[in-house]
Amino acid sequence: NILLLQSYTKNYFTFNLPSWSISDEMFFYLCFPFIIILFNYLVSKSQKLIIYFTLSLALLVLGLTLIIPPSQFHRFLYIDPFVRIIDFIIGITLYQVILKLPKLKLNLRFSNILEFFSVFVFILFYSLSPFIPIVYRYSSYYWIPVIIIIFVFFNSHGILSKVLSNKYLVIFGEISFGFYMFHQLVLRYFFGLGMDVFHPVLNFILILLITFITSFVSFFFFEKPLNL
């Protein structure tokens, strides 16, 4: 296990541990035009073909969980872009399905029920995750709760939707990716430079504050200008 961890650190987690995800995302974006061309071709034959195609890929992932050796679970099922692109395709398919379905007109009470139910389902899946083999947690375990949440919040206008639409919470959402990208670096340099000289609670608050400020600055002065 130690040698495997050293291999991961050397190949996938160089310098900044979460940065592997950017490589995957770049691969997805480069493939996106070709995926859309394929989807358009499938739609020209039959709209249902997109569903069948995506289900086939999902079954492929489940098949891989049976043949990949445990020592390679993390490498192939969690990191490898050729496998994780199936998550990306499932997201595209879900978007296509949502657009084709009639817009649901839900009253406030039913919207609230659906929103809290979808969050409950996600919390339930997360709570049960320690009892689920890690091979599925790396691959397909969270597909169902995430699909439910996306579908419900796309169509719903309940209290949770309104709370999450608050402009300040939206900003927190915008900087969340930067928070994810910077938190490991902040931890590394905070402890590496010997800054952990305070009470553990105060150290935690300082790390949280530094990561938040770094993410905030990165979003408004780097990410946002590049998106214009």
Side-chain angles (χ1 to χ4, degrees):
N1 289 337
I2 294 176
L3 292 176
L4 195 60
L5 180 60
Q6 290 175 344
S7 174
Y8 289 155
T9 304
K10 180 180 178 180
N11 294 288
Y12 313 124
F13 300 146
T14 303
F15 180 60
N16 186 20
L17 301 186
S19 61
W20 68 268
S21 62
I22 296 182
S23 300
D24 277 24
E25 290 169 13
M26 180 60 70
F27 176 75
F28 301 160
Y29 297 150
L30 290 174
C31 292
F32 180 72
F34 303 101
I35 296 173
I36 294 302
I37 291 173
L38 174 61
F39 272 34
N40 288 335
Y41 172 77
L42 295 176
V43 168
S44 68
K45 300 298 181 181
S46 172
Q47 292 184 353
K48 293 181 180 180
L49 285 177
I50 292 181
I51 305 296
Y52 298 147
F53 172 71
T54 305
L55 287 175
S56 298
L57 293 178
L59 291 174
L60 173 62
V61 171
L62 294 177
L64 290 174
T65 63
L66 300 176
I67 62 175
I68 293 177
S71 62
Q72 300 298 316
F73 284 165
H74 193 270
R75 175 185 177 183
F76 285 109
L77 297 176
Y78 189 74
I79 294 174
D80 195 299
F82 290 100
V83 175
R84 296 311 297 265
I85 196 172
I86 297 176
D87 297 349
F88 185 68
I89 292 174
I90 290 174
I92 297 173
T93 302
L94 177 61
Y95 177 73
Q96 296 292 328
V97 170
I98 289 175
L99 288 183
K100 297 297 181 182
L101 293 176
K103 184 68 175 179
L104 300 179
K105 296 182 180 180
L106 306 175
N107 59 46
L108 180 60
R109 181 180 180 182
F110 194 56
S111 293
N112 287 333
I113 292 174
L114 286 178
E115 289 183 2
F116 280 99
F117 172 75
S118 65
V119 173
F120 168 77
V121 170
F122 185 87
I123 294 174
L124 179 63
F125 269 69
Y126 181 79
S127 300
L128 295 175
S129 62
F131 305 102
I132 304 299
I134 196 168
V135 63
Y136 298 114
R137 282 183 277 155
Y138 279 158
S139 55
S140 57
Y141 180 66
Y142 288 103
W143 284 350
I144 292 177
V146 171
I147 286 174
I148 292 174
I149 282 182
I150 293 174
F151 183 83
V152 167
F153 277 85
F154 183 88
N155 288 288
S156 184
H157 303 284
I159 186 171
L160 291 180
S161 297
K162 292 180 180 178
V163 170
L164 293 174
S165 297
N166 178 278
K167 63 179 182 179
Y168 298 108
L169 290 182
V170 170
I171 292 176
F172 277 109
E174 296 281 8
I175 69 172
S176 62
F177 181 73
F179 196 96
Y180 165 71
M181 289 302 301
F182 289 117
H183 79 281
Q184 285 283 354
L185 289 177
V186 172
L187 285 169
R188 177 183 299 179
Y189 288 110
F190 187 87
F191 290 102
L193 296 176
M195 298 173 62
D196 55 323
V197 295
F198 306 102
H199 187 277
V201 174
L202 183 56
N203 286 335
F204 172 78
I205 294 174
L206 286 174
I207 291 171
L208 198 65
L209 184 62
I210 294 171
T211 308
F212 173 77
I213 293 174
T214 305
S215 306
F216 187 88
V217 171
S218 174
F219 175 74
F220 283 100
F221 295 97
F222 180 72
E223 297 175 47
K224 197 171 183 179
L226 288 178
N227 285 328
L228 296 179

